[in-house]
Amino acid sequence: NAGVTQTPKFQVLKTGQSMTLQCAQDMNHEYMSWYRQDPGMGLRLIHYSVGAGITDQGEVPNGYNVSRSTTEDFPLRLLSAAPSQTSVYFCAAGGRTDTQYFGPGTRLTVL
Amino acid sequence: LAKTTQPISMDSYEGQEVNITCSHNNIATNDYITWYQQFPSQGPRFIIQGYKTKVTNEVASLFIPADRKSSTLSLPRVSLSDTAVYYCLVGFTGTASKLTFGTGTRLQVTL
């Protein structure tokens, strides 16, 4: 039981490039979320999903897309990377009573 | 979404009890109160969750007064390894998961 896994662990992009951050969970949780955390700051919600085929925006959705075709996977796509998207990205999967399990994070740098 | 307010930072000596209070004046009837711990370069980790009165587990206690407009996380006999950021969240995932993290409380434990 791996919990929540994220790939890659580190990524460097050039401005304008696109990429997909992968997130997978093996706990069969309905709810999955993506957060970003800038240095010294709290986590900000990007997008979330309450089940396969259902996604919605969080606090800071601009520049990101998500999809949820299966219960297990919740990829985050950066459409055209910008330096302002340099951050650590965390994926989480949770149950009905708000206990969420976080992945180890992806550290992204956009040059 | 219920907004939470926590102290930005706290200091403690090893072996002391630490109490971190969170204010959530507009908590809704269905909302649970959840606390997370985050170490540098790691995703947040669930500590404890409650709805009312007192909850205790092997690492912490959570005190919630009758009006539920605040909650207090109590860490007994802290050690250096408890140095971390602690987040208070209020929400309910009955139909949607849109948890919002505040800036958290940075706890520094010293000898």
Side-chain angles (χ1 to χ4, degrees), chain A residues 31 37 48 96-98 100, chain B residues 36 38 49 91-93 97:
Chain A
Y31 310 106
Q37 186 171 36
Y48 66 98
R96 287 172 54 85
T97 56
D98 294 352
Q100 296 211 10
Chain B
Y36 289 84
Q38 186 180 28
Q49 182 183 75
F92 173 64
T93 55
S97 178

Side-chain angles (χ1 to χ4, degrees), chain A residues 52-99:
Chain A
I54 306 170
T55 64
D56 205 347
Q57 297 180 348
E59 301 172 77
V60 289
N62 292 340
Y64 308 94
N65 273 353
V66 292
S67 60
R68 184 95 179 270
S69 56
T70 66
T71 300
E72 294 78 19
D73 300 301
F74 191 42
L76 178 73
R77 281 183 290 277
L78 278 69
L79 309 174
S80 177
S84 61
Q85 293 179 304
T86 293
S87 190
V88 180
Y89 291 84
F90 291 103
C91 176
R96 287 172 54 85
T97 56
D98 294 352
T99 306

Side-chain angles (χ1 to χ4, degrees), chain B residues 28-70:
Chain B
T29 303
N30 288 341
D31 285 345
Y32 285 78
I33 300 158
T34 311
W35 285 80
Y36 289 84
Q37 175 192 55
Q38 186 180 28
F39 298 113
S41 302
Q42 294 186 23
R45 184 179 73 168
F46 171 84
I47 301 175
I48 196 166
Q49 182 183 75
Y51 183 79
K52 61 181 179 181
T53 62
K54 177 184 174 183
V55 178
T56 297
N57 62 22
E58 63 276 8
V59 298
S61 295
L62 178 59
F63 299 91
I64 305 169
D67 65 6
R68 303 200 328 123
K69 293 184 184 300
S70 66

Side-chain angles (χ1 to χ4, degrees), chain B residues 1-5 23-31 67-70 90-91:
Chain B
L1 295 173
K3 178 178 166 58
T4 60
T5 303
S23 297
H24 29 79
N25 290 322
N26 59 339
I27 188 169
T29 303
N30 288 341
D31 285 345
D67 65 6
R68 303 200 328 123
K69 293 184 184 300
S70 66
V90 174

Side-chain angles (χ1 to χ4, degrees), chain A residues 30-51:
Chain A
E30 292 179 283
Y31 310 106
M32 296 187 75
S33 311
W34 276 102
Y35 294 84
R36 61 175 287 176
Q37 186 171 36
D38 299 332
M41 306 291 287
L43 285 82
R44 291 186 291 169
L45 181 64
I46 305 171
H47 286 285
Y48 66 98
S49 169
V50 300

Side-chain angles (χ1 to χ4, degrees), chain B residues 80-98:
Chain B
L80 295 176
S81 62
D82 292 315
T83 294
V85 179
Y86 293 82
Y87 295 98
C88 163
L89 277 74
V90 174
F92 173 64
T93 55
T95 56
S97 178
K98 194 171 182 177

